[in-house]
Amino acid sequence: MTTLFESQAPRPLADCLRPLTLDEVVGQAHLLAEDAPLGRMLASGRMVSLLLWGPPGTGKTTIARLLAEHTNLHFEPLSAVFSGVADLRKVFEASKNRREAGRGTLLFVDEIHRFNRAQQDGFLPYVEDGTVTLLGATTENPSFELNTALLSRLQVFVLNRLDDAALEELLVRSEKLDKKPLPLDKDARAALRAMADGDGRYLLNMTEEISLLPPELILDTAALTEIVQKRMPLYDKAQEAHYNLISALHKSLRGSDVDASLYWLARMLVGGEDPRYIARRLVRFASEDVGMADPNALPHSIAAWEAYERIGSPEGELAIAQCVIYLATAPKSNAVYNAMKSAMRTAKETGSLSPPKHILNAPTGLMKGLGYGKGYEYDPDAEDGFSGQDYFPEEMIRANLYRPRGKGFEKEIVKRLDYWRKLRQDKKRDDGRGEA
C-alpha cells in the first residue's frame, strides 16, 4: 500500500509512465497481441515458467509484473544482483509453505544470468515440481549464460529493441503527462529517438531532463546534443554483441557489400572493440574467403595490421578501413579453404604412407641402394619445365584436392592446371595409376 508521503515523493518519468496494463506496453506486439504467444497464454488462463530476453529498456520487468496480475499466483520479485543463496532458500521455503496452503508462487528473477551455475541449479527441483513458476529476465543470450538444464525448463520469449514508432509513442505520452510539448524541432525530436538506441527508459530519462527547459526555447539537433549525452551503442566485447557484429562484418565482406562492411567495422570501433581483433579476422578472411582469387589479399591484410601496430588509434584504423574496402571488393573464392579441408581429410584416411622413393633424397649409400632418389627428374631441366612425375605415395591414387573456381586470378591458375594435366596425361608412366 502506498503511503501519503510516498505518493507525494518525486518519481522518475519512466516510473510515472510505467504501463498499468499489457495493452499499454509498446513495441512488443509480437509477444503480447491476442494471437501472439504470451497473448494466447494469458487468454487460456495458464502460466508456465518462461524467460524474457531483450535489451535494456524494452519492458521486461514491466511485462513480468503485469503477467503476475493476470494470474492467481503470489508474486515474488527477486534481483540476482542483490540476492544470494540465503535469499533463494527463504523464497523456496516460503513457496513450499504457500503451496501446501493451496496457492502457487510466481517467482520473478531480474537479471537471472547474474546467478552462477550452482545457484541456477538450485532452481531445478522447485521449477520441476511446480513449487514456483519461474519468470526470468535477462539482457544476455541465455544460450551462453544459463545452464542447459534450467533453460530446457523455460520458454524463451525475445523482446525487440523499441523501434522509432514505439519511441515516439513514449514521447507523446510524456507530453500528455506534462501537459506541454517538448521544446524540440522536428529534426531534434528524431535525433532524440535515435540517441535512445531502442531503450525506452533511457529515452524517458532524457525527456525528463529536456522537459525542465523553458517551453519558449525550441532546440535544434546541435543544441540538443549539448544538453543530453548521446548514449554509447550497446556492445560488450566479451558477450553476444561481440560475436554478432564480427559475424556481420565477415558476411558483409563475403557478400562484397563494401558499404555494409564499413558500417559494421565502424560499429565495432565505436563500441570499443580492439582493432587488433578485427585485423586478425581480416587476415583470416583473406585466406578463407578470397584465397587465390586475389593472392594480394593476404599480404594486404597483414600490412594493414602492421600499419595499425605502428601508428595506433585513431589514425591506424584508416589502414584497417582500407583493408576492409580491399577485401570487400576483391573476387571471392573458398577453393584454398576447401582444398585444405580435403587434404586434411585425405591425410587422416591414408595414414602413414611413405612418399614415393624417387622423390626421397639419398645422402647415404645404403639409402641409394634401397632406391631412394632413383628415377627422379629435375623439372627445370625437363621439356616445358614439367616432368609429369607423380608425387603421391605409390599405394595411393592421385587425389584432386585443389579445385579453383575461376574467380579473379584463379582464371590463370585454372589454365596452368589444365595445361599441366594435359602434359601429365601425355607423359603417362607405366605405374598404371590414373587420376582420381
Side-chain angles (χ1 to χ4, degrees), residues 106-401:
L106 179 64
L107 175 58
F108 172 61
V109 182
D110 198 15
E111 303 293 338
I112 191 172
H113 63 275
R114 300 272 189 168
F115 280 133
N116 61 37
R117 300 286 173 170
Q119 291 170 321
Q120 291 179 29
D121 283 340
F123 285 94
L124 295 176
Y126 302 101
V127 173
E128 187 73 27
D129 67 8
T131 300
V132 298
T133 299
L134 179 60
L135 203 171
T138 179
T139 56
E140 304 296 337
N141 190 325
S143 300
F144 303 140
E145 302 299 332
L146 265 64
N147 285 356
T148 302
L150 179 59
L151 189 58
S152 68
R153 290 162 172 79
L154 304 175
Q155 288 191 33
V156 179
F157 296 99
V158 181
L159 278 72
N160 296 332
R161 64 189 298 276
L162 300 188
D163 60 18
D164 196 61
L167 294 172
E168 176 60 24
E169 173 62 25
L170 293 181
L171 292 181
V172 171
R173 291 181 187 180
S174 71
E175 291 173 323
K176 288 181 179 179
L177 180 67
D178 206 27
K179 297 180 180 179
K180 64 180 182 180
L182 289 169
L184 302 170
D185 66 20
K186 182 179 179 180
D187 291 339
R189 192 180 183 95
L192 180 64
R193 298 193 300 267
M195 288 178 181
D197 197 19
D199 186 332
R201 187 186 305 110
Y202 187 79
L203 176 76
L204 292 177
N205 289 341
M206 290 191 296
T207 301
E208 187 170 19
E209 186 177 349
I210 295 169
S211 66
L212 299 176
L213 298 173
E216 64 274 8
L217 179 64
I218 304 300
L219 303 179
D220 58 15
T221 303
L224 172 67
T225 55
E226 291 181 4
I227 293 174
V228 297
Q229 292 293 318
K230 179 173 170 49
R231 178 178 182 170
M232 289 297 292
L234 295 176
Y235 188 78
D236 188 336
K237 290 184 282 184
Q239 301 296 334
E240 189 190 17
H242 165 82
Y243 299 105
N244 285 348
L245 266 62
I246 194 62
S247 176
L249 173 59
H250 195 123
K251 290 180 173 62
S252 298
L253 289 169
R254 183 181 291 157
S256 300
D257 191 331
V258 63
D259 295 316
S261 300
L262 286 170
Y263 170 76
W264 293 117
L265 169 66
R267 279 283 302 275
M268 297 187 77
L269 293 175
V270 169
E273 182 59 74
D274 185 352
R276 296 175 183 84
Y277 171 78
I278 302 173
R280 287 194 294 272
R281 175 59 73 101
L282 296 180
V283 171
R284 166 188 160 185
F285 182 91
S287 292
E288 183 176 315
D289 292 276
V290 177
M292 292 303 293
D294 185 348
N296 288 321
L298 182 57
H300 191 103
S301 60
I302 293 174
W305 188 354
E306 291 179 345
Y308 176 80
E309 294 288 0
R310 285 166 170 75
I311 303 174
S313 293
E315 293 84 357
E317 292 166 6
L318 188 60
I320 295 177
Q322 180 179 340
C323 181
V324 164
I325 293 172
Y326 187 98
L327 296 178
T329 56
K332 309 298 188 297
S333 172
N334 64 346
V336 171
Y337 177 77
N338 289 335
M340 190 58 188
K341 285 202 305 183
S342 297
M344 294 293 289
R345 182 173 60 252
T346 303
K348 291 176 182 178
E349 292 172 350
T350 54
S352 303
L353 297 178
S354 297
K357 289 183 179 180
H358 71 272
I359 65 172
L360 297 179
N361 292 330
T364 68
L366 174 61
M367 297 170 72
K368 188 174 182 179
L370 291 174
Y372 281 41
K374 183 178 180 180
Y376 174 67
E377 297 183 34
Y378 186 60
D379 285 77
D381 290 342
E383 185 179 358
D384 301 314
F386 182 79
S387 68
Q389 287 191 303
D390 196 351
Y391 301 96
F392 278 97
E394 294 177 359
E395 303 91 336
M396 179 180 169
I397 298 175
R398 283 193 60 82
N400 184 10
L401 303 177

